[in-house]
Amino acid sequence: PEKSLEPDAWVVGSDAVLLQCEVPDRVNAAVARACAARGIECHLDLGGEERAVSPELLRDCAVVSCNASELERATAGGDGGDGV
């Protein structure tokens, strides 16, 4: 059978989903939205690619995991910069 390209189909039947930053932002955001719409817990691992995280993606994630350097990067060094 052919696999669906729709994020809703990817999360059906899941209790939780783990997203990683190596996956393109648009894919993570679509999967997180699908999880939120279905009441599925969504976790985001900030490890991997160094990039900003959109407020929309964070809104749809129940848990965000990171180490100290990832947290500093994600919060723009804690100085109120552009990072989330």
Side-chain angles (χ1 to χ4, degrees), residues 21 44-53 58 64-84:
C21 286
L44 175 62
D45 178 359
L46 288 181
E49 269 190 41
E50 293 185 13
R51 63 181 183 217
V53 179
L58 288 176
V64 177
S65 65
C66 57
N67 62 33
S69 64
E70 294 159 353
L71 177 61
E72 185 173 351
R73 180 184 74 237
T75 59
D79 65 0
D82 293 332
V84 174

Side-chain angles (χ1 to χ4, degrees), residues 3-84:
K3 291 189 178 186
S4 173
L5 298 178
E6 295 299 318
D8 283 336
W10 300 342
V11 302
V12 169
S14 300
D15 293 322
V17 172
L18 174 63
L19 303 177
Q20 297 189 294
C21 286
E22 292 88 353
V23 174
D25 276 340
R26 62 181 165 66
V27 175
N28 277 342
V31 171
R33 275 192 308 273
C35 287
R38 294 181 169 278
I40 297 168
E41 193 168 276
C42 188
H43 298 226
L44 175 62
D45 178 359
L46 288 181
E49 269 190 41
E50 293 185 13
R51 63 181 183 217
V53 179
S54 72
E56 294 79 20
L57 178 56
L58 288 176
R59 177 197 63 221
D60 292 330
C61 292
V63 175
V64 177
S65 65
C66 57
N67 62 33
S69 64
E70 294 159 353
L71 177 61
E72 185 173 351
R73 180 184 74 237
T75 59
D79 65 0
D82 293 332
V84 174

